[in-house]
Amino acid sequence: MTRIPDAVAVASLDTHRLIVTVPNSGPADVACNLPRPVAADILRQLAASLDDPAGQCATARATSRPCPLHDAPASPPEAMPAPGERALDEVRQCLAFNTAEPSPVLASLRDLLLDTEERSPAAALATAYVLLAVHTRELSALARQHSTEARERFGVNHSSRGLLTGMDSVRKRLDHHADSLDEQAQR
């Protein structure tokens, strides 16, 4: 006698990135709109999480890479920094981990917001200062790039000199502000 299901789930690659079906008999089927190596990584992570559910978080599943906070090797208890220093170290590790992302600050913010560890208000404020400092440096780099492109495109003449001077002034102010944010994070 054949069992007839009560309902059939329908999934589309418009709403899902990876669909794996495993019938009771016959081969499994995989439908995917991800690059093959990424899909293979996700499937390996799923297999590993079935063997050992500890250490997996939403960041690791979403990025198909180990999470810098949850999957990092644990440091020995005697080397544990103070809570504020630990928060800054974690932020810097997240930023280093996400350097290949289009916006390392946003990717790191995502990772830190997905982190379930409770933080003190001082540690959260220090985290915000570090992330804002790096983001401010990103803005400064954009101002520098825009100034360089304008200089190359129009050259330096009477009408462009004021514009270029203003852009350089904004860039320097952003760099100074980023430095002050870094100082506030250390307090």
Side-chain angles (χ1 to χ4, degrees):
M1 181 169 165
T2 315
R3 182 179 171 277
I4 299 173
D6 294 334
V8 175
V10 177
S12 165
L13 286 177
D14 291 334
T15 58
H16 294 75
R17 295 171 68 173
L18 176 67
I19 302 169
V20 178
T21 57
V22 182
N24 287 333
S25 62
D29 185 34
V30 177
C32 180
N33 61 7
L34 294 168
R36 292 181 65 85
V38 173
D41 264 353
I42 290 171
L43 292 172
R44 281 188 207 97
Q45 283 184 13
L46 288 171
S49 70
L50 290 173
D51 288 339
D52 181 22
Q56 295 294 318
C57 70
T59 300
R61 288 189 299 271
T63 63
S64 72
R65 295 184 299 177
C67 174
L69 298 177
H70 300 105
D71 298 333
S75 58
E78 66 272 8
M80 290 297 286
E85 292 172 11
R86 188 180 73 215
L88 292 179
D89 288 343
E90 287 175 354
V91 172
R92 290 187 179 107
Q93 287 174 359
C94 274
L95 287 166
F97 180 78
N98 290 310
T99 55
E101 296 288 329
S103 176
V105 173
L106 289 178
S108 297
L109 181 59
R110 173 205 60 212
D111 294 346
L112 292 166
L113 289 175
L114 289 173
D115 183 16
T116 57
E117 182 180 325
E118 299 247 349
R119 298 188 194 288
S120 68
L125 185 60
T127 299
Y129 279 133
V130 170
L131 289 173
L132 286 174
V134 174
H135 182 63
T136 303
R137 286 193 177 87
E138 286 178 350
L139 295 175
S140 174
L142 286 173
R144 179 179 290 113
Q145 177 186 358
H146 188 65
S147 175
T148 301
E149 289 171 357
R151 189 173 276 118
E152 290 171 356
R153 185 173 180 193
F154 303 113
V156 178
N157 55 40
H158 182 68
S159 61
S160 67
R161 184 173 292 130
L163 173 69
L164 295 172
T165 302
M167 282 190 221
D168 286 338
S169 176
V170 166
R171 180 191 52 79
K172 289 176 185 175
R173 181 66 189 127
L174 287 170
D175 287 338
H176 176 71
H177 184 57
D179 291 341
S180 70
L181 288 169
D182 275 338
E183 289 173 13
Q184 291 175 355
Q186 298 300 326
R187 294 182 191 165

